[in-house]
Amino acid sequence: MAAAGGEVRRNAIDAVIGGLVAAALALPLLGFRLVDSAQGLSLGFRFDLVLWAALAVAAGRFALGLLGGVLGRHPLRPPEALIGPLSRSRPWLGWAMIAFAALLPLLPFADRNLIDKATLVLIYVMLGWGLNIVVGLAGLLDLGFVAFYAVGAYSYALLAVNFGWSFWICLPLAGLLAAGFGIALGFPVLRLRGDYLAIVTLGFGEIIRVVLQNWQDLTNGPQGISGIPRPSLFGLRFAASAPEGETTFAEFFGIAFAAEHRVTFLYFVILALALATNLFALRIRRLPIGRAWEALREDEIACRSLGLNPTTVKLSAFATGAMFAGFAGSFFATRQGFISPESFTFIESAVILAIVVLGGMGSQIGVVLAALLLVGLPEWFRDLQQYRMVAFGGAMVLIMLWRPSGLLASRNPTVRLHGGSR
Amino acid sequence: MEYFFQQLINGVTLGAIYGLIAIGYTMVYGIIGMINFAHGEIYMLGAFIALIAYLAATTIGGGGVALALLAALAATMALTALWGWAVERLAYRPLRSAPRLAPLISAIGMSIVLQNFVQLSQGARVKPLPPVIQGGFTLTQGDGFHVHLSYLQIAIVVLTLALMAAFTWVITRTRLGRAQRATEQDMKMAALLGVDVDRVVSATFVIGAALAAVAGMMVTLYYGVIDFYIGFLAGIKAFTAAVLGGIGSLPGAMLGGLLIGLIEAFWSGYFSIEYKDVAAFSILVLVLLFRPTGLLGRPDVEKI
């Protein structure tokens, strides 16, 4: 009983200290408010908020402390019993998810809004799978992945608007262009290691964005490009009426025109693209080049002494990842119908990287879960616009504290020698 | 020639500010090997706290500008340092032994939180402050172009030099500095020899945040406008400076900051202001190609 009393006492002291620190932290930024008026800046006061913040932190600290004492472990970490089954690989789970995704538009509760959101999530799933090749497989930290996404989007937009090329011709071109950019950018910098590579890729991401913003003649600057054509299904347009000599999708099948058709069509396009990325990533792991990526991630010196050229191996991973970002980018352009440099800021790179790392590097299903969590969930809380981003950042921190190696960690080599020691 | 000197003065001032932020990056990287992405936001918090503290000081004190500025500087350093400490305690310390990318993601998350927290609590609009320290010297008056050196620019450079001298003294002469250097070389061994590693790491974050706070206050006074978004660009540029100088090296951070400031000032002075960020990054890439560990960095020894 005395021990329990001491526990409560210690928790209470911790809580008071936590509350005081929270008050000091909140005092300048919550307690005062800069008021901008015609006479210049002045200060407003909101000291009640400081009090609430301090009380909330103290109460939370106290509750967590007691909970930790009762459970005998860190209260924010889930018990092994809950996590164990989740991280075991289950072949049927992937198939079940694919089946669900394929049937989603046919389900009764699927309205236009839901399919639109699912399309957005799938874009990020595809980007995550693409970046997973670079970060998860090859172990190269890329903080500027959005640059290739932007290259793909702008190549489709420019080719379609200026030359009238169709989406299906531009899609592979956009991928190739992005891969070319990946090689051109990667070639000089891939000799660098770890964090140097990270800052250089971040720099490239920013350079591409600044160029898009300032090269008025080509990209129309910050106004962006609008009126990007939508894709067609073997020449069938998704529109209320078609120009001379063309048919719309609705006319061809003799059904009434509905805007949902296009949304559903786009959904299936991105689903197919994402699944193609997934299949590619799963298969290439078993090829020599995929094995070289994984080997390089684990030990660069060993790879070198076995005759692998690290630069070409890294370059191929970088270019492959960039190519998928290019595909995703051109899909993004055709879905939005409008693109501007605004869509390709660093925060996008951070979100994609967060999806890969939160999912558990190298895990394909983990990427889906993380994309649902980071992109899907916030979409439902659009009304809380302002608090959404705070919660989003907070979620990134909390998930990392909760599962430091990602939701589903899989770092095992894909291929093992038979009869090996393990 | 006059134009050149003017850009030189502007570049050195800017470089002093970047150098102060870069020290926070390079110290943290040297000791725990992580890119503290939230450091730019700490600098932004510093700028906001400085503005609020200065306004509060003038409202209460009513008197001299110098006194108000000094009080604001002290309050800003203390409160921002507390933020730096809290961020480390909440978001990084539990991840000390986690995989390498975990603290990076946690830091990016923290930086999103801080940015949006300030946007929510202080509003998204740009906050203007009328010039506080005015006047200066006019150095030359050759053919219609005046080279101007303001008191504020002198104050920024002098304060930066003083802080860097004090900081170098802390690192080389004090007990804390010795513990920091020991932790940087080998965290586990330092812990075995009785260095309280957690305390040393906390102290590192506190010092880095305090220096970033000073940089934030300088920017508030120098440019006279701040918003919740300034941390991102300043952060990546300061990090670029740290990498340029050789990450983990303290003189390197100062040198890198100075170089980035000069590159920016000269590029926007002679070429185009739109592409000044591109110039800074391109120089970084060029330097890394020829010296992969930065200008003053130690070469990496690969162990098997």
Side-chain angles (χ1 to χ4, degrees):
Chain A
M1 221 37 232
E7 183 98 332
V8 171
R9 218 176 99 94
R10 220 182 47 233
N11 275 321
I13 294 174
D14 274 358
V16 170
I17 295 174
L20 287 178
V21 170
L25 289 177
L27 177 67
L29 293 166
L30 274 181
F32 293 97
R33 187 179 170 87
L34 292 165
V35 185
D36 202 4
S37 63
Q39 288 85 43
L41 276 185
S42 57
L43 282 180
F45 306 97
R46 291 173 305 185
F47 292 132
D48 53 325
L49 285 181
V50 179
L51 187 67
W52 289 121
L55 284 179
V57 168
R61 182 80 189 78
F62 190 63
L64 280 181
L66 279 189
L67 203 63
V70 172
L71 297 174
R73 59 180 169 80
H74 198 281
L76 288 181
R77 299 248 161 92
E80 250 335 281
L82 208 97
I83 283 301
L86 199 72
S87 46
R88 229 171 292 138
S89 79
R90 322 198 142 187
W92 57 266
L93 188 63
W95 289 108
M97 283 170 96
I98 293 174
F100 177 74
L103 293 176
L104 180 69
L106 306 177
L107 296 178
F109 57 84
D111 55 356
R112 188 181 165 164
N113 196 6
L114 180 90
I115 295 180
D116 216 35
K117 285 184 173 128
T119 310
L120 190 72
V121 171
L122 278 174
I123 293 180
Y124 281 92
V125 169
M126 180 173 174
L127 286 168
W129 279 337
L131 186 62
N132 210 350
I133 295 175
V134 185
V135 179
L137 282 188
L140 304 168
L141 181 51
D142 185 351
L143 286 178
F145 198 58
V146 80
F148 307 121
Y149 186 44
V151 168
Y154 269 88
S155 10
Y156 168 60
L158 291 172
L159 289 174
V161 170
N162 293 338
F163 304 111
W165 291 11
S166 100
F167 175 71
W168 298 106
I169 297 172
C170 294
L171 182 69
L173 282 179
L176 282 179
L177 264 170
F181 259 79
I183 291 173
L185 299 186
F187 194 68
V189 300
L190 280 173
R191 294 190 309 148
L192 302 172
R193 291 152 49 95
D195 301 300
Y196 288 98
L197 182 67
I199 185 70
V200 171
T201 48
L202 196 165
F204 274 139
E206 279 302 296
I207 289 178
I208 296 258
R209 196 180 58 81
V210 172
V211 169
L212 289 178
Q213 199 145 18
N214 290 311
W215 195 354
Q216 288 281 352
D217 304 337
L218 185 73
T219 65
N220 199 20
Q223 284 89 43
I225 302 174
S226 52
I228 301 168
R230 308 293 189 156
S232 57
L233 176 68
F234 298 108
L236 301 177
R237 281 167 178 266
F238 289 89
S241 61
E244 274 301 313
E246 288 186 43
T247 345
T248 68
F249 177 77
E251 282 167 5
F252 187 80
F253 286 99
I255 46 177
F257 167 75
E260 281 83 16
H261 292 159
R262 192 179 69 211
V263 177
T264 313
F265 173 64
L266 284 172
Y267 173 79
F268 280 118
V269 170
I270 187 66
L271 182 62
L273 283 173
L275 287 177
T277 314
N278 184 27
L279 187 67
F280 180 91
L282 286 179
R283 301 304 301 172
I284 202 163
R285 283 180 188 204
R286 298 179 173 278
L287 294 180
I289 184 68
R291 295 185 213 175
W293 290 341
E294 281 185 294
L296 200 70
R297 175 189 73 194
E298 298 299 330
D299 194 335
E300 186 165 338
I301 299 176
C303 283
R304 253 189 231 166
S305 39
L306 289 173
L308 286 176
N309 179 352
T311 311
T312 31
V313 174
K314 284 181 187 174
L315 206 56
S316 59
F318 210 61
T320 314
M323 179 179 74
F324 286 112
F327 291 151
S330 62
F331 176 80
F332 175 77
T334 194
R335 170 184 179 251
Q336 302 292 104
F338 164 77
I339 50 169
S340 73
E342 287 275 284
S343 312
F344 307 104
T345 50
F346 167 70
I347 195 85
E348 295 293 315
S349 291
V351 169
I352 303 165
L353 183 67
I355 286 174
V356 173
V357 178
L358 293 183
M361 299 214 299
S363 160
Q364 300 291 93
I365 290 185
V367 167
V368 180
L369 289 181
L372 278 171
L373 216 63
L374 281 188
V375 183
L377 268 188
E379 280 301 308
W380 293 111
F381 298 108
R382 274 250 172 236
D383 306 336
L384 301 169
Q385 185 71 23
Q386 298 202 298
Y387 299 93
R388 201 168 64 103
M389 286 310 285
V390 176
F392 174 80
M396 272 166 78
V397 176
L398 280 181
I399 297 175
M400 275 291 102
L401 296 184
W402 183 51
R403 296 275 296 161
S405 49
L407 292 170
L408 307 177
S410 94
R411 206 187 158 85
N412 294 331
T414 310
V415 186
R416 274 190 204 289
L417 289 178
H418 295 291
S421 55
R422 271 195 286 168
Chain B
M1 205 59 203
E2 283 80 12
Y3 191 61
F4 175 83
F5 277 120
Q6 186 65 63
Q7 294 306 332
L8 188 70
I9 292 170
N10 295 347
V12 169
T13 315
L14 200 59
I17 295 174
Y18 285 144
L20 280 180
I21 312 173
I23 286 180
Y25 278 110
T26 214
M27 268 204 312
V28 166
Y29 190 89
I31 288 185
I32 55 175
M34 75 169 273
I35 303 175
N36 177 14
F37 241 97
H39 193 60
E41 311 311 328
I42 293 287
Y43 150 83
M44 181 271 295
L45 286 180
F48 268 87
I49 295 177
L51 184 54
I52 290 170
Y54 174 71
L55 286 178
T58 45
T59 321
I60 298 167
V65 171
L67 204 65
L69 280 176
L70 276 182
L73 183 66
T76 307
M77 284 177 79
L79 289 169
T80 314
L82 190 63
W83 273 99
W85 175 84
V87 167
E88 193 271 336
R89 183 70 192 80
L90 286 178
Y92 308 150
R93 191 182 293 179
L95 294 174
R96 195 67 55 76
S97 55
R100 205 172 55 90
L101 280 182
L104 179 75
I105 296 297
S106 181
I108 293 176
M110 211 61 211
S111 109
I112 296 176
V113 168
L114 292 179
Q115 216 178 77
N116 287 282
F117 166 66
V118 171
Q119 186 187 3
L120 276 177
S121 66
Q122 302 295 339
R125 301 243 321 258
V126 167
K127 303 283 177 290
L129 177 75
V132 178
I133 305 177
Q134 280 170 323
F137 303 112
T138 304
L139 295 181
T140 54
Q141 290 185 316
D143 30 292
F145 190 86
H146 303 247
V147 179
H148 197 73
L149 174 64
S150 68
Y151 293 138
L152 184 59
Q153 285 174 324
I154 299 174
I156 287 177
V157 173
V158 167
L159 184 56
T160 303
L161 287 178
L163 279 172
M164 288 192 175
F167 177 70
T168 313
W169 179 78
V170 168
I171 292 294
T172 52
R173 292 275 187 278
T174 64
R175 204 183 154 76
L176 173 67
R178 199 162 64 227
Q180 280 181 318
R181 281 178 288 141
T183 312
E184 189 202 333
Q185 286 187 358
D186 191 332
M187 189 183 276
K188 204 179 274 172
M189 194 65 209
L192 287 174
L193 292 175
V195 173
D196 186 344
V197 170
D198 278 343
R199 210 177 63 89
V200 169
V201 174
S202 283
T204 307
F205 274 85
V206 164
I207 295 175
L211 293 179
V214 178
M217 178 152 185
M218 287 172 172
V219 159
T220 310
L221 295 174
Y222 189 52
Y223 287 120
V225 282
I226 53 172
D227 61 40
F228 71 99
Y229 200 64
I230 56 170
F232 172 66
L233 209 59
I236 59 175
K237 271 193 212 139
F239 186 65
T240 306
V243 172
L244 186 63
I247 194 152
S249 146
L250 295 171
M254 301 173 198
L255 177 69
L258 193 62
L259 280 177
I260 293 284
L262 287 173
I263 291 167
E264 249 193 73
F266 281 114
W267 192 277
S268 37
Y270 285 100
F271 300 102
S272 69
I273 200 154
E274 288 90 13
Y275 287 104
K276 66 177 178 140
D277 303 339
V278 174
F281 286 123
S282 313
I283 300 278
L284 172 79
V285 173
L286 281 180
V287 169
L288 287 183
L289 283 184
F290 296 105
R291 280 195 66 87
T293 49
L295 292 172
L296 298 183
R298 276 166 301 185
D300 257 347
V301 182
E302 291 183 43
K303 290 186 198 135
I304 301 172

